[in-house]
Amino acid sequence: MPFDVVLGGILSPLFIASILRISTPIILPALGGLISDLAGVINIALEGIMLVSAFTGVIVSAYTGSVWIGVLAGIVVGMLYSLLLALFHLYLNTDIILAGIALNIMAQGGTIFLLFILTGDKGNTSSLASGAVPTITIPFIENIPWLGTILSGHNLFTYLAFLFTWLVSILLYKTPLGTHLRAVGENPVAAETVGINVRRTKTIAIALSGFFASLGGLSLSMAYLTLFQNAMTNGRGFIALAAVFLGGRTPWGTTIASIIFGFADALSNQLGSLAIPPQWVQMIPYVATVLALVIYSIRRQAKQRERLRRFQEGEVKSSGAAEAGTD
Amino acid sequence: MKKIFQSSGFRELLRVFIAVAVALALGFIVTMLVSEDPVGAYKSFLFGPVSKLNRFGDWIEESITLIFLGLAVVVVFKAELFSLGQEGQMVLGALVAGSIALFVPLPAYFLIPLAILGAMLAGFLWGLIPGYLKAYLNANEIVSTLMLNFIALKIYEWLLTNSIKPEDAGYTASDTFPVEGTMSSFIPPLPFLSEIRTLFMNQTNISIALYLMVIATIVVYYLMYHTPFGYELRMVGANIKFARYGGVNTKRTILLAMAVSGIFAGLAGAHVASGVHRKLILNITFGLGFEGIVVAILARNNPLLIPITGLAYGYLRAGANVMERTSDVSREMVLVIQGIIILLVTAERLMPMIQERIKVRRTQRNDIPPADTGVTPTEGGD
């Protein structure tokens, strides 16, 4: 198959729109991962929280017949699940990684277990009529030829993902809570000394990351698909964590990194007809994350060395001055 | 006698025991709610793995994998490092062991050791990467090992679908390994054992990996407590700054800790490829990647306890499979039980909190402070 057909496919507005759609369930949990990571809590449980909320949303919407009650229930249950992480990590001194692993195992098992009880099927909820959040067409923009296809007609969560990226950057850099949050992550002891309640701040950070992971889970089961599937998050919670690092631990960086992951995913589907193995394309974001980690670490080390050098120079100067004084 | 009950080792053991008991009790309550025959279901869960020889085999085979993975985790945990990379190391170990078994024409007594060594080397090299990143760049090892897992899985998938899978195969799997490339039964081919050997070979895939597992456990113990490397590793884990002042090459120790850990995860891969499945299949790790961490925690990081916790944990998983097959309760319930066990065992403050409560209640009832909390006289009061 000729390369230019694929290139044409990649540049088509439909393909670009599909990238945004695929990226949404990564962007949202990644924002959650970012908030908790900046507060010094590495949230491995994003995956589990997503599963729990995706499941709750579908089940509640199927039984109540209301999409919005389903969404609300998904958010509430997902946040409660994340508070379990806060309880065990912050109040019972469980290691954060181990607590995260436990919550992931429980979410994976619990959702399938309940799925089987409720539907008699371990695969998915296709026997239930669950709701989908509406898609939104933007007036005027939808009529612009190329751009309209890309920007208009997405589901609610896709727009929320970008709206929240903006809101999270305001929260983190323009509000007292954001300052406290980053201070706690940077140096908890120093934060404690200036009167910040470290434990409460971290609890808020975990709850917020639970909120965003829940939205991510709901975007999978009530927008991207309209049913719950056994283990449907398929590692997106971990990919979201990687996006935080690839994005340099900033809100817009994280969102762009999530889109890169979405792009690789969409591209690997598109390349199915070329001789390039899809696994190579799928591998790119992970390799990129490792490289980003390397670059980030080298830069941090260089900075530290620079600081040390300045400190030592300052020391030499001041000791020189002291000697001059005694002479 | 009193000393034994107050020793920290005993309390650790008690905590694990209580955690498992509580989790199993909760599991039973859930079973009662969902099952028509809760007692039967729970019976098959608790006694299933020893009820038939093939189930016994499943239990032991899975436990061997878990024990290798647990040993891999102990090595990094001792250095106070974290690694989530066992899954990637295991899958590459399986890939190398499987490829050697499939494509290298050698007699069995060369081929099997070569496959095992190859798997160990694959794990070692894949562990070197996060080890180097951590030791020399101080890069977050959780993120790097997670990413390397995904990369390893993709490499495995790619090679399996493009090079290893026979062209005409309907599904993504390799050919079955030749007899020379599979690990032989754990019962030696001696005349007076031939009957029991055939019986085990027909019903189970328990192979010489069992002995490898025992050797690996002893090796890890010896490495940790009787070699300079183990000493340095534990020093790095106890206090890295102190270790550095004491002349330990901390960077090299961290690098090697991650890589040596990979050796054991690679062995797990060799076991599932050449011992259990005897061919390469998609999803060969069956999501066992993180379970080694659980086995290591339950053993409280003691290498000699790893076989016990590995067998116990494997028993839960094997029991769950039997329960699913013989009752109306799905095996995923056991995942919830596993999660509860991990949380209860690792919640450092849970037991002291409960003890405190009991103490407070007792003092309230008796209205006199217990003798134990006797005020210690302050020394040199000036």
Side-chain angles (χ1 to χ4, degrees):
Chain A
M1 183 162 153
F3 197 73
D4 55 305
V5 176
V6 173
L7 203 65
I10 290 169
L11 288 176
S12 83
L14 276 176
F15 180 74
I16 298 174
S18 82
I19 293 173
L20 293 182
R21 200 163 46 89
I22 293 176
S23 305
T24 304
I26 303 173
I27 297 174
L28 287 164
L31 289 174
L34 172 71
I35 292 173
S36 64
D37 188 59
L38 286 178
V41 181
I42 184 155
N43 190 349
I44 293 276
L46 290 175
E47 179 88 0
I49 300 167
M50 283 176 81
L51 266 182
V52 167
S53 66
F55 178 75
T56 310
V58 165
I59 296 296
V60 172
S61 84
Y63 281 93
T64 59
S66 159
V67 173
W68 300 114
I69 294 177
V71 169
L72 193 70
I75 293 172
V76 169
V77 173
M79 284 180 80
L80 286 176
Y81 202 64
S82 72
L83 284 176
L84 213 55
L85 183 72
L87 169 73
F88 273 92
H89 174 52
L90 299 173
Y91 294 85
L92 296 173
N93 275 16
T94 309
D95 182 275
I96 183 72
I97 306 288
L98 303 180
I101 290 175
L103 289 184
N104 284 341
I105 292 178
M106 279 167 73
Q108 190 199 338
T111 49
I112 301 176
F113 182 68
L114 291 174
L115 180 67
F116 182 69
I117 292 172
L118 293 172
T119 66
D121 179 1
K122 274 191 176 186
N124 57 51
T125 57
S126 55
S127 58
L128 300 175
S130 62
V133 296
T135 54
I136 295 168
T137 47
I138 310 170
F140 305 117
I141 289 180
E142 69 170 315
N143 297 326
I144 305 173
W146 194 72
L147 217 56
T149 320
I150 296 174
L151 293 181
S152 180
H154 287 290
N155 68 69
L156 175 70
F157 287 113
T158 303
Y159 297 111
L160 279 182
F162 288 93
L163 178 69
F164 275 125
T165 308
W166 178 62
L167 287 178
V168 165
S169 59
I170 290 176
L171 171 83
L172 287 174
Y173 300 103
K174 299 276 157 65
T175 66
L177 176 64
T179 315
H180 285 186
L181 214 136
R182 287 180 295 125
V184 165
E186 201 70 42
N187 191 337
V189 180
E192 189 91 67
T193 356
V194 296
I196 299 172
N197 187 335
V198 173
R199 206 190 256 176
R200 199 181 61 197
T201 312
K202 284 191 173 186
T203 307
I204 294 171
I206 292 176
L208 278 174
S209 85
F211 171 73
F212 286 112
S214 302
L215 286 185
L218 291 166
S219 78
L220 263 181
S221 69
M222 301 186 72
Y224 188 75
L225 300 175
T226 52
L227 51 80
F228 178 82
Q229 254 174 14
N230 171 350
M232 78 186 303
T233 47
N234 199 13
R236 284 185 179 83
F238 294 116
I239 294 170
L241 219 52
V244 174
F245 282 84
L246 185 59
R249 303 170 87 216
T250 61
W252 285 105
T254 300
T255 296
I256 291 166
S258 306
I259 295 173
I260 293 173
F261 276 99
F263 174 69
D265 202 4
L267 188 66
S268 67
N269 294 335
Q270 195 79 9
L271 286 178
S273 43
L274 274 185
I276 302 171
Q279 289 92 355
W280 286 17
V281 183
Q282 287 162 0
M283 218 187 282
I284 292 169
Y286 304 115
V287 177
T289 307
V290 173
L291 291 179
L293 191 67
V294 169
I295 294 166
Y296 172 78
S297 308
I298 290 175
R299 272 176 45 197
R300 193 185 50 196
Q301 275 195 336
K303 236 185 250 170
Q304 273 168 356
R305 228 172 277 141
E306 173 70 20
R307 213 180 291 160
L308 190 69
R309 194 180 59 82
R310 262 193 228 148
F311 176 73
Q312 281 168 341
E313 268 176 14
E315 194 110 292
V316 171
K317 256 183 220 158
S318 64
S319 69
E323 269 169 36
T326 52
D327 269 1
Chain B
M1 199 63 192
K2 208 174 175 190
K3 252 189 191 152
I4 295 174
F5 289 122
Q6 283 175 347
S7 74
S8 69
F10 176 78
R11 246 184 285 155
E12 293 288 341
L13 202 71
L14 188 71
R15 184 156 81 180
V16 172
F17 187 77
I18 291 175
V20 173
V22 168
L24 287 179
L26 287 174
F28 185 65
I29 294 171
V30 175
T31 313
M32 284 206 296
L33 294 176
V34 301
S35 177
E36 305 256 308
D37 175 22
V39 177
Y42 227 59
K43 235 186 217 167
S44 64
F45 167 48
L46 290 180
F47 302 107
V50 287
S51 60
K52 276 186 185 167
L53 187 59
N54 64 338
R55 291 172 183 167
F56 176 79
D58 291 345
W59 166 36
I60 300 299
E61 286 156 29
E62 178 132 316
S63 298
I64 292 172
T65 318
L66 288 169
I67 291 163
F68 280 133
L69 293 174
L71 290 172
V73 174
V74 163
V75 176
V76 279
F77 272 14
K78 280 279 182 211
E80 284 289 310
L81 295 167
F82 224 111
S83 167
L84 301 175
Q86 293 86 37
E87 178 142 13
Q89 294 152 357
M90 180 179 167
V91 90
L92 290 184
L95 177 69
V96 170
S99 305
I100 290 174
L102 282 167
F103 303 119
V104 180
L106 275 178
Y109 40 89
F110 285 126
L111 194 54
I112 286 297
L114 187 67
I116 292 169
L117 284 177
M120 290 165 72
L121 185 67
F124 181 85
L125 292 177
W126 205 245
L128 268 184
I129 303 171
Y132 180 85
L133 296 180
K134 177 71 188 175
Y136 292 93
L137 301 174
N138 198 20
N140 186 321
E141 76 269 29
I142 294 166
V143 178
S144 67
T145 50
L146 261 179
M147 292 306 105
L148 288 167
N149 280 350
F150 283 112
I151 296 171
L153 285 172
K154 291 296 166 199
I155 293 175
Y156 180 81
E157 258 179 57
W158 165 56
L159 285 175
L160 184 60
T161 42
N162 284 321
S163 313
I164 298 173
K165 181 182 81 116
E167 293 262 330
D168 51 347
Y171 51 95
T172 313
S174 75
D175 280 327
T176 307
F177 301 162
V179 184
E180 295 84 36
T182 51
M183 294 188 188
S184 51
S185 170
F186 74 108
I187 299 172
L190 295 172
F192 59 96
L193 290 173
S194 68
E195 239 172 83
I196 189 162
R197 180 177 153 94
T198 349
L199 180 69
F200 266 91
M201 277 175 72
N202 286 339
Q203 302 260 349
T204 75
N205 284 339
I206 307 176
S207 67
I208 50 164
L210 184 71
Y211 304 120
L212 279 179
M213 176 270 279
V214 175
I215 296 169
T217 307
I218 296 167
V219 166
V220 170
Y221 172 74
Y222 189 80
L223 199 65
M224 288 294 119
Y225 296 100
H226 295 281
T227 64
F229 169 66
Y231 178 71
E232 291 180 355
L233 195 104
R234 286 182 291 126
M235 248 171 99
V236 167
N239 188 335
I240 188 162
K241 279 184 187 156
F242 185 74
R244 204 176 292 141
Y245 291 135
V248 175
N249 185 343
T250 53
K251 289 186 174 170
R252 201 196 56 177
T253 308
I254 291 172
L255 175 73
L256 281 180
M258 299 290 265
V260 167
S261 158
I263 293 177
F264 297 98
L267 272 173
H271 163 63
V272 290
S274 324
V276 181
H277 298 298
R278 297 170 180 195
K279 58 168 124 175
L280 295 179
I281 51 174
L282 278 180
N283 270 330
I284 196 162
T285 57
F286 274 103
L288 277 172
F290 294 160
E291 308 285 9
I293 295 170
V294 184
V295 172
I297 301 163
L298 292 178
R300 307 308 287 184
N301 246 351
N302 180 344
L304 292 181
L305 288 181
I306 291 282
I308 299 171
T309 54
L311 280 169
Y313 200 61
Y315 193 91
L316 282 185
R317 295 176 62 98
N321 286 335
V322 177
M323 176 175 71
E324 171 157 286
R325 261 176 274 152
T326 57
S327 78
D328 56 351
V329 182
S330 58
R331 69 189 152 99
E332 279 75 17
M333 187 197 76
V334 179
L335 290 178
V336 180
I337 293 183
Q338 287 174 9
I340 294 172
I341 292 177
I342 302 172
L343 286 177
L344 292 182
V345 169
T346 55
E348 300 283 340
R349 230 184 270 161
L350 197 59
M351 277 286 271
M353 244 180 185
I354 294 169
Q355 280 172 344
E356 199 80 352
R357 281 278 159 77
I358 293 171
K359 215 180 253 175
V360 168
R361 198 176 297 165
R362 234 183 245 160
T363 39
Q364 279 169 348
R365 198 182 300 152
N366 300 339
D367 221 8
I368 37 166
D372 261 3
T373 58
V375 190
T376 47
T378 44
E379 283 171 56
D382 51 24

